[in-house]
Amino acid sequence: MNIVVCVKYVPDATADRHFESDSTVDREGVDGLLSELDEYPVEQALRIKEQQDDEVQVTVLTVGPDDASDAIRKALQMGADKGVHVSDEAIAGSDSIGTSLVLAEAIKKLEHDLVMCGMASTDGSMGVLPAMLAERLGLPALTLASEVEYDAGRVRIRRDGDTATQTVEGTTPVLVSVTDQSGEARYPSFKGIMAAKKKPVETWTLSDIGVSEDQVGLSTAWSQVMATEPRPPRTQGEVVADEDGSGATKLADFLASRKFI
Amino acid sequence: MREVLVLVDHVDGAVSKPTTELLTIARRLGEPAAVFIGSAEDADDTALKTLKTFGAEKIYTVEDADFRQFLVAPKAEVLAQLVQQVSPVAVLVASGAEGKEIAGRLAIKTGSGLITDAVDVQGDGDSAVTTQSVFAGSYTVRAKVTTGTSIITVKPNAATPEQAEGAGAQQAVQVEISEGAKGARITASEPRRSSGRPDLSEAAIVVAGGRGTGGKFESIEEFADALGGAVGASRAVVDAGWYPHSYQIGQTGKTVSPQLYIAAGISGAIQHRAGMQTSKTIVAINKDEEAPLFELVDFGVVGDLHSVLPAATEEVNKRKG
Protein backbone atom coordinates (compact mmCIF):
# COMPACT_ATOMS: atom_id res chain seq x y z
CA MET A 1 0.00 0.00 0.00
CA ASN A 2 1.18 3.51 -0.82
CA ILE A 3 0.42 6.72 1.01
CA VAL A 4 1.38 10.12 -0.37
CA VAL A 5 1.38 12.96 2.17
CA CYS A 6 1.38 16.52 0.81
CA VAL A 7 3.25 18.97 3.01
CA LYS A 8 4.12 22.65 2.79
CA TYR A 9 7.16 24.61 3.81
CA VAL A 10 5.93 27.86 5.35
CA PRO A 11 7.42 30.99 6.92
CA ASP A 12 7.55 30.67 10.71
CA ALA A 13 4.31 32.16 12.05
CA THR A 14 6.10 33.56 15.08
CA ALA A 15 8.51 35.52 12.85
CA ASP A 16 7.76 38.83 11.16
CA ARG A 17 6.05 37.72 7.95
CA HIS A 18 5.69 40.14 5.09
CA PHE A 19 5.18 40.59 1.35
CA GLU A 20 7.68 41.18 -1.46
CA SER A 21 7.28 44.11 -3.85
CA ASP A 22 5.37 41.85 -6.29
CA SER A 23 2.83 41.03 -3.55
CA THR A 24 4.07 37.46 -3.10
CA VAL A 25 4.92 36.14 0.33
CA ASP A 26 8.58 36.63 1.24
CA ARG A 27 9.72 33.01 1.55
CA GLU A 28 13.43 33.65 1.73
CA GLY A 29 13.93 36.47 4.21
CA VAL A 30 12.05 34.58 6.91
CA ASP A 31 12.95 31.26 8.52
CA GLY A 32 10.72 28.46 7.35
CA LEU A 33 9.63 25.08 8.59
CA LEU A 34 7.24 22.19 7.97
CA SER A 35 3.76 23.69 8.45
CA GLU A 36 2.60 22.59 11.88
CA LEU A 37 -0.75 21.57 10.41
CA ASP A 38 1.01 19.20 8.00
CA GLU A 39 2.59 17.24 10.85
CA TYR A 40 -0.86 15.78 11.54
CA PRO A 41 -1.34 13.97 8.19
CA VAL A 42 2.25 12.67 8.46
CA GLU A 43 1.37 11.33 11.90
CA GLN A 44 -1.84 9.68 10.67
CA ALA A 45 -0.01 8.11 7.72
CA LEU A 46 2.61 6.68 10.09
CA ARG A 47 -0.06 5.29 12.41
CA ILE A 48 -1.73 3.52 9.48
CA LYS A 49 1.67 2.17 8.42
CA GLU A 50 2.30 0.81 11.92
CA GLN A 51 -1.12 -0.86 12.10
CA GLN A 52 -0.89 -2.72 8.79
CA ASP A 53 0.66 -6.14 8.41
CA ASP A 54 1.32 -5.48 4.73
CA GLU A 55 4.11 -3.21 3.71
CA VAL A 56 3.14 0.45 3.58
CA GLN A 57 5.28 3.03 1.83
CA VAL A 58 4.82 6.65 2.99
CA THR A 59 6.01 9.25 0.47
CA VAL A 60 6.20 12.92 1.43
CA LEU A 61 5.55 15.35 -1.39
CA THR A 62 6.26 19.07 -1.36
CA VAL A 63 6.34 21.92 -3.86
CA GLY A 64 8.54 24.90 -3.12
CA PRO A 65 11.95 26.55 -3.22
CA ASP A 66 15.21 24.76 -2.31
CA ASP A 67 14.68 25.27 1.41
CA ALA A 68 11.42 23.35 1.23
CA SER A 69 13.50 20.18 1.45
CA ASP A 70 13.65 20.99 5.19
CA ALA A 71 9.96 20.15 5.40
CA ILE A 72 10.59 16.79 3.73
CA ARG A 73 13.51 16.06 6.05
CA LYS A 74 11.37 16.68 9.13
CA ALA A 75 8.72 14.25 7.85
CA LEU A 76 11.41 11.64 7.07
CA GLN A 77 12.77 12.06 10.60
CA MET A 78 9.28 11.41 11.94
CA GLY A 79 9.27 8.12 10.00
CA ALA A 80 8.17 8.64 6.40
CA ASP A 81 10.02 6.47 3.85
CA LYS A 82 10.89 8.76 0.98
CA GLY A 83 10.53 12.29 -0.28
CA VAL A 84 9.68 14.01 -3.55
CA HIS A 85 10.45 17.69 -3.92
CA VAL A 86 9.03 19.49 -6.94
CA SER A 87 11.20 22.54 -7.41
CA ASP A 88 11.21 24.86 -10.39
CA GLU A 89 11.75 28.59 -10.59
CA ALA A 90 8.69 28.90 -12.81
CA ILE A 91 6.46 27.78 -9.93
CA ALA A 92 7.22 30.82 -7.76
CA GLY A 93 4.16 32.99 -7.16
CA SER A 94 1.66 30.26 -8.11
CA ASP A 95 -1.77 30.54 -6.53
CA SER A 96 -3.68 27.55 -5.14
CA ILE A 97 -4.92 26.75 -8.65
CA GLY A 98 -1.35 26.42 -9.98
CA THR A 99 -0.04 24.68 -6.88
CA SER A 100 -2.85 22.12 -6.97
CA LEU A 101 -2.00 21.38 -10.61
CA VAL A 102 1.66 20.73 -9.78
CA LEU A 103 0.77 18.51 -6.82
CA ALA A 104 -1.85 16.59 -8.79
CA GLU A 105 0.51 15.87 -11.68
CA ALA A 106 3.23 14.77 -9.26
CA ILE A 107 0.81 12.48 -7.41
CA LYS A 108 -0.23 10.90 -10.72
CA LYS A 109 3.38 9.81 -11.18
CA LEU A 110 3.44 8.17 -7.75
CA GLU A 111 1.66 5.03 -6.66
CA HIS A 112 -1.12 6.23 -4.36
CA ASP A 113 -3.86 4.44 -2.50
CA LEU A 114 -4.22 7.21 0.03
CA VAL A 115 -3.43 10.88 -0.49
CA MET A 116 -3.24 12.77 2.80
CA CYS A 117 -3.20 16.52 3.48
CA GLY A 118 -3.41 18.91 6.41
CA MET A 119 -6.50 21.04 6.95
CA ALA A 120 -4.84 24.28 5.75
CA SER A 121 -1.44 25.89 5.57
CA THR A 122 -0.32 28.23 8.31
CA ASP A 123 0.59 31.01 5.86
CA GLY A 124 -2.02 31.33 3.10
CA SER A 125 -4.48 29.26 5.14
CA MET A 126 -7.12 29.16 2.42
CA GLY A 127 -7.90 25.56 3.28
CA VAL A 128 -8.98 24.80 -0.30
CA LEU A 129 -6.09 22.73 -1.57
CA PRO A 130 -7.36 19.27 -0.51
CA ALA A 131 -10.68 19.90 -2.31
CA MET A 132 -8.88 21.18 -5.42
CA LEU A 133 -6.55 18.19 -5.44
CA ALA A 134 -9.44 15.75 -5.12
CA GLU A 135 -11.18 17.51 -7.98
CA ARG A 136 -8.09 17.35 -10.21
CA LEU A 137 -7.33 13.72 -9.35
CA GLY A 138 -10.96 12.62 -9.55
CA LEU A 139 -10.67 11.09 -6.08
CA PRO A 140 -13.33 11.00 -3.40
CA ALA A 141 -12.39 13.33 -0.55
CA LEU A 142 -12.88 12.63 3.15
CA THR A 143 -12.06 16.05 4.49
CA LEU A 144 -11.36 17.59 7.89
CA ALA A 145 -11.01 14.32 9.70
CA SER A 146 -10.59 14.46 13.45
CA GLU A 147 -10.31 10.66 13.48
CA VAL A 148 -9.10 8.34 10.75
CA GLU A 149 -9.62 4.58 10.57
CA TYR A 150 -8.21 2.46 7.77
CA ASP A 151 -9.11 -1.16 7.20
CA ALA A 152 -8.47 -3.15 4.03
CA GLY A 153 -9.07 -0.40 1.49
CA ARG A 154 -11.91 1.23 3.41
CA VAL A 155 -11.44 4.55 5.14
CA ARG A 156 -13.76 5.97 7.74
CA ILE A 157 -13.38 9.40 9.31
CA ARG A 158 -15.08 11.52 11.92
CA ARG A 159 -15.79 15.05 10.74
CA ASP A 160 -16.78 17.66 13.32
CA GLY A 161 -18.79 20.16 11.33
CA ASP A 162 -20.39 23.37 12.52
CA THR A 163 -23.85 21.88 12.86
CA ALA A 164 -23.21 18.15 13.18
CA THR A 165 -20.61 15.49 13.78
CA GLN A 166 -20.54 13.16 10.79
CA THR A 167 -19.09 9.77 10.00
CA VAL A 168 -17.91 9.68 6.38
CA GLU A 169 -16.68 6.63 4.48
CA GLY A 170 -14.91 5.94 1.22
CA THR A 171 -12.76 3.31 -0.47
CA THR A 172 -9.26 3.67 -1.88
CA PRO A 173 -7.96 5.40 -3.85
CA VAL A 174 -9.14 8.29 -1.71
CA LEU A 175 -7.94 11.67 -0.41
CA VAL A 176 -8.10 12.38 3.31
CA SER A 177 -7.43 15.72 5.00
CA VAL A 178 -6.94 15.77 8.77
CA THR A 179 -7.32 18.45 11.43
CA ASP A 180 -5.15 19.28 14.42
CA GLN A 181 -7.64 17.29 16.52
CA SER A 182 -6.64 14.01 14.88
CA GLY A 183 -3.88 13.18 17.34
CA GLU A 184 -0.65 14.77 18.47
CA ALA A 185 2.23 14.46 16.02
CA ARG A 186 5.33 12.63 17.25
CA TYR A 187 8.72 14.25 17.69
CA PRO A 188 11.54 12.75 15.65
CA SER A 189 13.62 10.37 17.77
CA PHE A 190 17.43 10.39 17.63
CA LYS A 191 17.21 7.14 15.70
CA GLY A 192 14.71 8.72 13.33
CA ILE A 193 16.97 11.69 12.74
CA MET A 194 19.91 9.43 11.90
CA ALA A 195 17.84 7.14 9.68
CA ALA A 196 16.41 10.09 7.73
CA LYS A 197 19.86 10.90 6.39
CA LYS A 198 19.85 7.71 4.33
CA LYS A 199 16.30 7.98 3.02
CA PRO A 200 15.87 8.84 -0.68
CA VAL A 201 14.66 12.28 -1.75
CA GLU A 202 13.98 12.91 -5.42
CA THR A 203 13.90 16.38 -6.90
CA TRP A 204 11.59 16.86 -9.87
CA THR A 205 11.21 19.81 -12.19
CA LEU A 206 8.07 20.82 -14.07
CA SER A 207 9.16 18.92 -17.15
CA ASP A 208 9.46 15.73 -15.07
CA ILE A 209 5.73 15.90 -14.34
CA GLY A 210 4.61 17.20 -17.72
CA VAL A 211 3.51 20.66 -16.61
CA SER A 212 4.51 23.58 -18.82
CA GLU A 213 5.84 26.84 -17.43
CA ASP A 214 2.89 28.85 -18.73
CA GLN A 215 0.47 26.83 -16.57
CA VAL A 216 1.98 28.06 -13.30
CA GLY A 217 3.59 31.05 -11.66
CA LEU A 218 2.56 34.55 -10.69
CA SER A 219 1.80 35.81 -14.19
CA THR A 220 -0.69 33.05 -14.93
CA ALA A 221 -2.47 33.12 -11.58
CA TRP A 222 -6.25 33.33 -11.97
CA SER A 223 -6.59 35.97 -9.32
CA GLN A 224 -4.53 39.07 -8.85
CA VAL A 225 -3.43 40.92 -5.74
CA MET A 226 -3.89 44.64 -6.32
CA ALA A 227 -2.46 45.95 -3.05
CA THR A 228 -1.09 44.75 0.27
CA GLU A 229 -0.99 47.05 3.28
CA PRO A 230 0.26 46.46 6.79
CA ARG A 231 -2.62 46.91 9.15
CA PRO A 232 -2.07 49.93 11.40
CA PRO A 233 -0.94 48.63 14.79
CA ARG A 234 -3.57 48.79 17.49
CA THR A 235 -2.87 51.40 20.09
CA GLN A 236 -3.06 50.09 23.60
CA GLY A 237 -5.94 51.47 25.62
CA GLU A 238 -6.23 51.82 29.37
CA VAL A 239 -5.10 48.88 31.51
CA VAL A 240 -6.17 49.01 35.15
CA ALA A 241 -5.16 46.90 38.13
CA ASP A 242 -7.97 45.19 40.00
CA GLU A 243 -7.55 46.63 43.48
CA ASP A 244 -10.23 45.94 46.07
CA GLY A 245 -12.65 44.79 43.37
CA SER A 246 -12.48 48.08 41.47
CA GLY A 247 -11.66 46.22 38.21
CA ALA A 248 -15.21 45.00 37.68
CA THR A 249 -16.72 48.45 38.11
CA LYS A 250 -14.20 50.01 35.77
CA LEU A 251 -14.83 47.25 33.23
CA ALA A 252 -18.57 47.89 33.40
CA ASP A 253 -17.93 51.65 33.05
CA PHE A 254 -15.88 50.99 29.92
CA LEU A 255 -18.51 48.68 28.39
CA ALA A 256 -21.23 51.26 29.15
CA SER A 257 -19.14 54.05 27.58
CA ARG A 258 -18.95 51.99 24.38
CA LYS A 259 -22.70 51.29 24.55
CA PHE A 260 -22.33 47.54 25.06
CA ILE A 261 -24.58 47.71 28.11
CA MET B 1 -27.77 42.88 -15.47
CA ARG B 2 -25.76 39.70 -14.97
CA GLU B 3 -26.62 37.35 -12.17
CA VAL B 4 -24.60 36.85 -9.01
CA LEU B 5 -25.09 33.35 -7.62
CA VAL B 6 -25.37 33.09 -3.84
CA LEU B 7 -25.19 29.59 -2.36
CA VAL B 8 -27.75 29.49 0.44
CA ASP B 9 -26.44 28.17 3.74
CA HIS B 10 -29.25 26.65 5.76
CA VAL B 11 -29.97 24.02 8.38
CA ASP B 12 -33.24 22.20 7.59
CA GLY B 13 -34.50 25.30 5.80
CA ALA B 14 -33.45 27.90 8.38
CA VAL B 15 -31.45 30.42 6.31
CA SER B 16 -28.26 31.58 8.05
CA LYS B 17 -27.44 35.23 8.70
CA PRO B 18 -24.28 35.06 6.53
CA THR B 19 -26.54 34.16 3.58
CA THR B 20 -28.42 37.46 4.03
CA GLU B 21 -25.05 39.20 4.13
CA LEU B 22 -24.08 37.53 0.85
CA LEU B 23 -27.33 38.66 -0.78
CA THR B 24 -26.62 42.21 0.40
CA ILE B 25 -23.13 42.05 -1.12
CA ALA B 26 -24.46 40.45 -4.33
CA ARG B 27 -26.55 43.57 -5.03
CA ARG B 28 -23.33 45.58 -5.37
CA LEU B 29 -22.16 43.30 -8.18
CA GLY B 30 -25.26 42.42 -10.19
CA GLU B 31 -28.61 40.69 -9.83
CA PRO B 32 -28.74 38.39 -6.78
CA ALA B 33 -29.81 34.83 -7.56
CA ALA B 34 -30.02 32.46 -4.60
CA VAL B 35 -29.18 28.78 -5.03
CA PHE B 36 -31.11 26.70 -2.53
CA ILE B 37 -30.00 23.06 -2.31
CA GLY B 38 -32.24 20.99 -0.07
CA SER B 39 -35.48 19.05 0.19
CA ALA B 40 -38.84 20.45 -0.91
CA GLU B 41 -39.81 20.74 2.78
CA ASP B 42 -36.66 22.75 3.49
CA ALA B 43 -37.47 25.21 0.70
CA ASP B 44 -40.63 26.34 2.48
CA ASP B 45 -42.33 29.75 2.36
CA THR B 46 -40.31 31.10 5.29
CA ALA B 47 -37.00 30.23 3.66
CA LEU B 48 -38.00 31.62 0.28
CA LYS B 49 -39.41 34.78 1.86
CA THR B 50 -36.15 35.45 3.72
CA LEU B 51 -34.19 35.19 0.46
CA LYS B 52 -36.66 37.49 -1.31
CA THR B 53 -36.64 40.02 1.53
CA PHE B 54 -32.87 40.35 1.29
CA GLY B 55 -32.92 40.94 -2.44
CA ALA B 56 -33.00 37.62 -4.32
CA GLU B 57 -34.39 38.33 -7.79
CA LYS B 58 -34.26 34.65 -8.62
CA ILE B 59 -34.25 31.56 -6.43
CA TYR B 60 -32.96 28.35 -7.96
CA THR B 61 -34.15 25.36 -5.96
CA VAL B 62 -32.37 22.04 -6.26
CA GLU B 63 -33.86 18.89 -4.71
CA ASP B 64 -31.03 16.96 -3.06
CA ALA B 65 -32.74 13.65 -2.23
CA ASP B 66 -30.36 11.75 -4.53
CA PHE B 67 -27.15 13.18 -3.18
CA ARG B 68 -27.77 14.44 0.36
CA GLN B 69 -25.83 11.51 1.82
CA PHE B 70 -22.61 12.46 0.01
CA LEU B 71 -20.08 14.99 1.23
CA VAL B 72 -19.55 18.35 -0.55
CA ALA B 73 -18.70 17.23 -4.11
CA PRO B 74 -22.30 17.09 -5.44
CA LYS B 75 -22.97 20.67 -4.33
CA ALA B 76 -19.98 21.84 -6.35
CA GLU B 77 -21.41 20.02 -9.38
CA VAL B 78 -24.76 21.77 -8.92
CA LEU B 79 -23.06 25.17 -8.91
CA ALA B 80 -20.84 24.28 -11.86
CA GLN B 81 -23.89 23.39 -13.93
CA LEU B 82 -25.59 26.65 -12.98
CA VAL B 83 -22.46 28.65 -13.79
CA GLN B 84 -22.49 27.08 -17.23
CA GLN B 85 -26.16 27.89 -17.77
CA VAL B 86 -26.34 31.48 -16.54
CA SER B 87 -22.72 32.77 -16.84
CA PRO B 88 -22.89 34.74 -13.60
CA VAL B 89 -20.52 37.60 -12.86
CA ALA B 90 -19.64 36.01 -9.52
CA VAL B 91 -20.46 33.14 -7.17
CA LEU B 92 -20.59 33.98 -3.45
CA VAL B 93 -20.29 31.26 -0.82
CA ALA B 94 -20.14 31.59 2.98
CA SER B 95 -16.61 30.98 4.31
CA GLY B 96 -17.26 27.87 6.39
CA ALA B 97 -15.32 24.62 6.05
CA GLU B 98 -17.86 23.22 3.60
CA GLY B 99 -18.23 26.52 1.71
CA LYS B 100 -14.50 26.71 1.05
CA GLU B 101 -14.36 23.14 -0.23
CA ILE B 102 -17.28 23.76 -2.55
CA ALA B 103 -15.62 26.93 -3.83
CA GLY B 104 -12.26 25.20 -4.37
CA ARG B 105 -13.85 22.44 -6.44
CA LEU B 106 -15.96 24.93 -8.36
CA ALA B 107 -12.88 26.97 -9.28
CA ILE B 108 -11.21 23.91 -10.82
CA LYS B 109 -14.39 22.72 -12.54
CA THR B 110 -15.12 26.08 -14.16
CA GLY B 111 -11.54 27.25 -14.77
CA SER B 112 -12.08 30.23 -12.51
CA GLY B 113 -9.99 32.15 -10.03
CA LEU B 114 -10.84 31.87 -6.35
CA ILE B 115 -10.58 34.26 -3.43
CA THR B 116 -11.30 32.98 0.07
CA ASP B 117 -12.20 34.62 3.38
CA ALA B 118 -13.07 38.06 2.02
CA VAL B 119 -13.96 40.54 4.75
CA ASP B 120 -15.34 42.99 2.18
CA VAL B 121 -16.41 42.82 -1.46
CA GLN B 122 -17.11 45.86 -3.62
CA GLY B 123 -18.08 46.22 -7.27
CA ASP B 124 -15.59 47.94 -9.55
CA GLY B 125 -16.82 48.14 -13.11
CA ASP B 126 -17.22 44.54 -14.20
CA SER B 127 -15.18 43.01 -11.45
CA ALA B 128 -15.54 42.28 -7.77
CA VAL B 129 -12.75 43.66 -5.61
CA THR B 130 -12.21 41.81 -2.36
CA THR B 131 -10.49 42.73 0.87
CA GLN B 132 -8.82 40.00 2.94
CA SER B 133 -7.06 40.08 6.27
CA VAL B 134 -3.91 37.90 6.28
CA PHE B 135 -0.91 36.91 8.45
CA ALA B 136 -2.89 36.87 11.69
CA GLY B 137 -4.59 40.12 10.73
CA SER B 138 -1.34 42.03 10.34
CA TYR B 139 -1.85 42.75 6.61
CA THR B 140 -4.79 43.79 4.47
CA VAL B 141 -4.86 42.49 0.88
CA ARG B 142 -7.04 43.79 -1.95
CA ALA B 143 -7.49 41.39 -4.86
CA LYS B 144 -9.69 40.40 -7.76
CA VAL B 145 -10.27 37.35 -9.90
CA THR B 146 -8.87 37.72 -13.41
CA THR B 147 -9.88 34.43 -15.06
CA GLY B 148 -13.33 32.91 -15.45
CA THR B 149 -16.10 33.65 -12.98
CA SER B 150 -15.19 35.40 -9.72
CA ILE B 151 -15.59 32.75 -7.04
CA ILE B 152 -15.46 34.31 -3.61
CA THR B 153 -15.95 32.92 -0.14
CA VAL B 154 -17.02 35.63 2.29
CA LYS B 155 -16.56 35.67 6.06
CA PRO B 156 -19.45 36.25 8.44
CA ASN B 157 -20.02 39.92 9.40
CA ALA B 158 -18.48 41.15 6.11
CA ALA B 159 -21.61 43.23 5.51
CA THR B 160 -24.64 44.39 7.47
CA PRO B 161 -27.66 42.58 6.00
CA GLU B 162 -29.96 45.13 4.34
CA GLN B 163 -33.49 44.34 3.29
CA ALA B 164 -34.39 45.11 -0.33
CA GLU B 165 -37.38 43.24 -1.70
CA GLY B 166 -36.42 41.15 -4.74
CA ALA B 167 -38.72 39.46 -7.24
CA GLY B 168 -37.79 36.06 -5.81
CA ALA B 169 -38.79 34.21 -8.98
CA GLN B 170 -38.53 30.55 -8.13
CA GLN B 171 -37.08 28.10 -10.61
CA ALA B 172 -36.58 24.40 -9.95
CA VAL B 173 -33.33 23.14 -11.46
CA GLN B 174 -32.67 19.54 -12.48
CA VAL B 175 -29.07 18.43 -12.14
CA GLU B 176 -27.17 15.29 -12.97
CA ILE B 177 -24.73 14.29 -10.27
CA SER B 178 -21.85 12.16 -11.52
CA GLU B 179 -20.90 8.86 -9.90
CA GLY B 180 -17.48 10.36 -9.19
CA ALA B 181 -19.03 12.89 -6.84
CA LYS B 182 -20.58 10.10 -4.80
CA GLY B 183 -17.39 8.64 -3.32
CA ALA B 184 -17.57 10.10 0.17
CA ARG B 185 -20.67 8.75 1.86
CA ILE B 186 -22.04 10.20 5.11
CA THR B 187 -23.01 7.13 7.11
CA ALA B 188 -23.96 8.83 10.37
CA SER B 189 -24.68 12.34 11.48
CA GLU B 190 -25.22 13.62 14.97
CA PRO B 191 -26.54 17.19 15.19
CA ARG B 192 -24.62 19.39 17.55
CA ARG B 193 -26.55 20.32 20.66
CA SER B 194 -27.41 24.02 20.67
CA SER B 195 -26.04 26.03 23.58
CA GLY B 196 -28.86 28.57 23.27
CA ARG B 197 -26.24 31.29 22.81
CA PRO B 198 -25.51 33.19 19.58
CA ASP B 199 -23.40 31.37 16.98
CA LEU B 200 -19.73 32.03 17.64
CA SER B 201 -18.77 33.05 14.08
CA GLU B 202 -21.67 35.45 13.76
CA ALA B 203 -21.95 36.88 17.30
CA ALA B 204 -21.59 40.64 17.94
CA ILE B 205 -20.07 39.96 21.36
CA VAL B 206 -17.72 37.10 22.25
CA VAL B 207 -16.43 36.23 25.72
CA ALA B 208 -13.54 33.77 25.53
CA GLY B 209 -11.72 31.86 28.26
CA GLY B 210 -8.16 30.56 28.27
CA ARG B 211 -5.77 28.56 30.39
CA GLY B 212 -6.32 31.03 33.25
CA THR B 213 -9.84 29.70 33.76
CA GLY B 214 -8.35 26.47 35.08
CA GLY B 215 -11.24 24.76 33.31
CA LYS B 216 -13.95 26.61 35.24
CA PHE B 217 -16.12 28.24 32.58
CA GLU B 218 -19.16 29.22 34.67
CA SER B 219 -18.02 32.81 35.11
CA ILE B 220 -17.22 33.07 31.38
CA GLU B 221 -20.65 31.73 30.44
CA GLU B 222 -22.48 33.94 32.92
CA PHE B 223 -20.69 37.06 31.73
CA ALA B 224 -21.44 36.12 28.09
CA ASP B 225 -25.11 35.65 29.00
CA ALA B 226 -25.26 39.02 30.78
CA LEU B 227 -23.96 40.68 27.61
CA GLY B 228 -25.96 38.49 25.20
CA GLY B 229 -22.72 37.15 23.70
CA ALA B 230 -21.24 33.88 22.52
CA VAL B 231 -18.66 31.83 24.44
CA GLY B 232 -15.27 31.00 22.96
CA ALA B 233 -12.16 29.17 24.13
CA SER B 234 -8.43 29.19 23.46
CA ARG B 235 -6.62 26.17 22.05
CA ALA B 236 -5.05 25.39 25.44
CA VAL B 237 -8.55 25.01 26.89
CA VAL B 238 -9.69 22.72 24.09
CA ASP B 239 -6.51 20.64 24.20
CA ALA B 240 -7.03 20.18 27.94
CA GLY B 241 -10.53 18.88 27.22
CA TRP B 242 -12.18 21.68 29.23
CA TYR B 243 -14.40 22.94 26.41
CA PRO B 244 -15.47 21.47 23.03
CA HIS B 245 -13.37 22.08 19.93
CA SER B 246 -16.24 23.79 18.11
CA TYR B 247 -15.72 26.77 20.43
CA GLN B 248 -12.02 27.17 19.68
CA ILE B 249 -10.88 30.57 18.45
CA GLY B 250 -7.62 30.90 16.56
CA GLN B 251 -5.72 29.69 13.57
CA THR B 252 -7.03 26.14 13.74
CA GLY B 253 -10.41 27.03 15.11
CA LYS B 254 -12.84 29.80 14.29
CA THR B 255 -11.88 33.28 13.20
CA VAL B 256 -14.16 35.83 14.80
CA SER B 257 -14.55 39.51 14.13
CA PRO B 258 -17.17 40.73 16.62
CA GLN B 259 -17.93 44.26 17.79
CA LEU B 260 -16.61 43.31 21.24
CA TYR B 261 -14.13 40.56 22.13
CA ILE B 262 -13.45 39.86 25.79
CA ALA B 263 -10.53 37.52 26.54
CA ALA B 264 -10.27 36.17 30.08
CA GLY B 265 -7.18 34.27 31.14
CA ILE B 266 -5.80 34.17 27.57
CA SER B 267 -2.20 35.24 27.14
CA GLY B 268 -2.53 35.84 23.39
CA ALA B 269 -0.18 33.66 21.33
CA ILE B 270 0.09 34.56 17.63
CA GLN B 271 -2.13 31.58 16.73
CA HIS B 272 -4.87 32.93 18.99
CA ARG B 273 -4.51 36.47 17.72
CA ALA B 274 -5.00 35.17 14.18
CA GLY B 275 -8.53 34.29 15.20
CA MET B 276 -9.59 37.53 16.86
CA GLN B 277 -7.28 40.37 15.88
CA THR B 278 -9.82 42.06 13.61
CA SER B 279 -12.38 42.42 16.41
CA LYS B 280 -13.56 46.04 16.71
CA THR B 281 -13.12 46.42 20.46
CA ILE B 282 -10.86 44.17 22.50
CA VAL B 283 -10.89 43.73 26.28
CA ALA B 284 -8.59 41.44 28.27
CA ILE B 285 -8.61 40.23 31.84
CA ASN B 286 -5.47 38.46 33.02
CA LYS B 287 -3.51 38.01 36.23
CA ASP B 288 -0.26 38.41 34.32
CA GLU B 289 0.32 42.03 33.39
CA GLU B 290 2.95 40.90 30.86
CA ALA B 291 0.40 38.91 28.80
CA PRO B 292 0.99 39.85 25.14
CA LEU B 293 -2.72 40.27 24.54
CA PHE B 294 -2.67 43.47 26.62
CA GLU B 295 -0.77 45.10 23.74
CA LEU B 296 -3.92 44.89 21.61
CA VAL B 297 -6.57 45.92 24.09
CA ASP B 298 -8.85 48.91 24.18
CA PHE B 299 -9.34 48.16 27.86
CA GLY B 300 -7.63 45.72 30.19
CA VAL B 301 -7.91 44.58 33.78
CA VAL B 302 -4.92 43.04 35.54
CA GLY B 303 -6.61 40.73 38.02
CA ASP B 304 -8.08 37.32 38.74
CA LEU B 305 -10.86 36.52 36.28
CA HIS B 306 -12.58 34.38 38.92
CA SER B 307 -13.26 37.48 41.02
CA VAL B 308 -13.44 40.16 38.30
CA LEU B 309 -15.95 38.39 36.02
CA PRO B 310 -18.60 37.48 38.63
CA ALA B 311 -18.47 41.04 40.01
CA ALA B 312 -18.66 42.48 36.48
CA THR B 313 -21.60 40.18 35.66
CA GLU B 314 -23.43 41.51 38.70
CA GLU B 315 -22.58 45.07 37.73
CA VAL B 316 -23.78 44.59 34.14
CA ASN B 317 -27.03 42.98 35.24
CA LYS B 318 -27.63 45.83 37.72
CA ARG B 319 -27.07 48.49 35.07
CA LYS B 320 -29.29 46.74 32.57
CA GLY B 321 -31.96 47.21 35.25
Side-chain angles (χ1 to χ4, degrees), chain A residues 50-90:
Chain A
E50 285 155 4
Q51 284 157 9
Q52 301 304 307
D53 295 331
D54 304 339
E55 191 178 332
V56 177
Q57 169 110 342
V58 177
T59 304
V60 188
L61 170 64
T62 197
V63 176
D66 288 351
D67 289 346
S69 56
D70 287 357
I72 291 183
R73 191 173 314 117
K74 172 81 185 282
L76 295 179
Q77 289 172 349
M78 287 171 70
D81 300 298
K82 66 174 223 189
V84 173
H85 180 183
V86 184
S87 180
D88 199 305
E89 276 178 20

Side-chain angles (χ1 to χ4, degrees), chain A residues 83-104:
Chain A
V84 173
H85 180 183
V86 184
S87 180
D88 199 305
E89 276 178 20
I91 299 171
S94 294
D95 58 1
S96 53
I97 307 265
T99 307
S100 64
L101 175 70
V102 174
L103 282 171

Side-chain angles (χ1 to χ4, degrees), chain A residues 161 224 226 229 231 237 253, chain B residues 137 140 142 144 192 297 319:
Chain A
Q224 181 200 340
M226 301 154 73
E229 279 166 44
R231 195 183 170 83
D253 288 344
Chain B
T140 303
R142 290 202 319 136
K144 64 180 179 187
R192 195 175 291 289
V297 298
R319 295 191 194 197

